[in-house]
Amino acid sequence: MRVLIAEDDPKLGPLIQKGLTAQGYAVDLCASGDAALQMIFSVQYDVMVLDILLPEINGLEICRKMRSAHITTPALLLTARGGIEHRIEGLDSGADDYMEKPFDFRELEARLRALLRRNGPTKSAILQFADIKMDTVTREVKRGNRLIQLSSKEFALLEYFLRHPKQALSRTLIIEHVWNFEADIFSNVVDVYVKTLRRKLTENGEPDVIHTVRGVGYQVSDPMPDDL
């Protein structure tokens, strides 16, 4: 899942980016409101974290501008200001959640997972298709009773597939949600990771559920008759 972090604190911003990247998220970081708006209008993010007191354009105004443009990406506001009035102002601006600084990183990640569930096909932390089950909290992936070890990027790719079952996903769309601006993207990076993911999911002879859609990209759907 691709996340935007807009935070001008030179220590906190990179710290959040590092923590979320370690959990498999593709994270873009910026330190001003203008930069955040440019990125929001050019990239389709899955969720974003916005500091309220950003230079140039604050987080509240960013929320108002993107909601007026019908951008529905879930947004969590960070602020050093407490109090019910500030929380009301933040939520009324179009934000979906609100956290006061300082905060525990584990709670931030849990809130982001909740926002992704709220905006996704299931409200559960468990994503499942056929006999493939992914726990987005423990990061455990199973095929039937078999535990599958995935790298962080393989996990992110499978998570994106499972959040969009039976949808034909282009390679460009997959890159936009699984990789960030800083990634060294080569032309066939999606194909390489899909090949590895397929191998791990089918190494015990299980049917393949990741199908190539000619001229488009890939789709997670029911096994083809020849695979059964």
Side-chain angles (χ1 to χ4, degrees):
M1 297 291 102
R2 192 160 181 178
V3 185
L4 172 64
I5 307 295
E7 170 59 67
D8 65 328
D9 186 307
K11 293 183 178 179
L12 181 59
L15 189 63
I16 297 174
Q17 182 183 37
K18 181 179 179 180
L20 291 178
T21 299
Q23 293 301 312
Y25 293 89
V27 185
D28 294 322
L29 173 65
C30 65
S32 73
D34 279 349
L37 272 180
Q38 291 176 14
M39 296 165 80
I40 289 168
F41 280 94
S42 62
V43 176
Q44 186 180 351
Y45 289 101
D46 296 292
V47 67
M48 59 186 72
V49 178
L50 307 172
D51 182 29
I52 288 184
L53 298 179
L54 289 169
E56 299 165 353
I57 302 174
N58 67 42
L60 299 174
E61 190 59 26
I62 291 173
C63 283
R64 295 188 186 103
K65 286 180 180 294
M66 69 178 186
R67 297 311 184 214
S68 66
H70 307 292
I71 296 174
T72 60
T73 306
L76 182 150
L77 289 176
L78 291 179
T79 182
R81 301 186 301 177
I84 185 65
E85 294 302 323
H86 291 138
R87 290 197 293 273
I88 291 172
E89 183 182 19
L91 295 172
D92 282 346
S93 73
D96 300 273
D97 202 354
Y98 188 106
M99 284 190 71
E100 293 181 31
K101 302 175 183 176
F103 55 85
D104 189 297
F105 177 80
R106 294 170 299 174
E107 182 182 359
L108 173 65
E109 190 186 0
R111 286 175 181 255
L112 293 182
R113 288 196 301 266
L115 290 177
L116 288 168
R117 292 197 300 271
R118 187 186 307 173
N119 208 43
T122 176
K123 306 306 178 186
S124 171
I126 305 297
L127 300 176
Q128 185 166 4
F129 185 85
D131 60 344
I132 299 171
K133 184 180 293 185
M134 167 183 283
D135 189 321
T136 59
V137 177
T138 65
R139 301 183 65 79
E140 184 179 83
V141 176
K142 286 186 174 181
R143 180 113 200 222
N145 293 320
R146 179 169 66 88
L147 187 64
I148 301 173
Q149 299 294 332
L150 299 179
S151 69
S152 60
K153 194 57 66 180
E154 291 162 358
F155 185 96
L157 179 60
L158 180 59
E159 180 181 2
Y160 187 62
F161 280 141
L162 296 183
R163 289 189 184 276
H164 300 85
K166 300 187 177 181
Q167 295 182 33
L169 304 170
S170 70
R171 290 172 177 82
T172 299
L173 192 60
I174 293 169
I175 286 174
E176 287 178 350
H177 285 269
V178 180
W179 280 267
N180 61 16
F181 282 128
E182 297 177 356
D184 183 15
I185 303 297
F186 50 94
S187 60
N188 64 336
V189 63
V190 174
D191 301 327
V192 170
Y193 273 93
V194 167
K195 181 178 180 180
T196 303
L197 184 59
R198 273 176 166 159
R199 177 180 57 77
K200 290 186 177 183
L201 292 175
T202 62
E203 65 182 4
N204 276 14
E206 300 95 337
D208 191 6
V209 297
I210 304 177
H211 306 295
T212 302
V213 181
R214 186 167 298 177
V216 180
Y218 295 98
Q219 176 187 58
V220 166
S221 58
D222 296 326
M224 298 296 186
D226 291 345
D227 294 330
L228 298 175

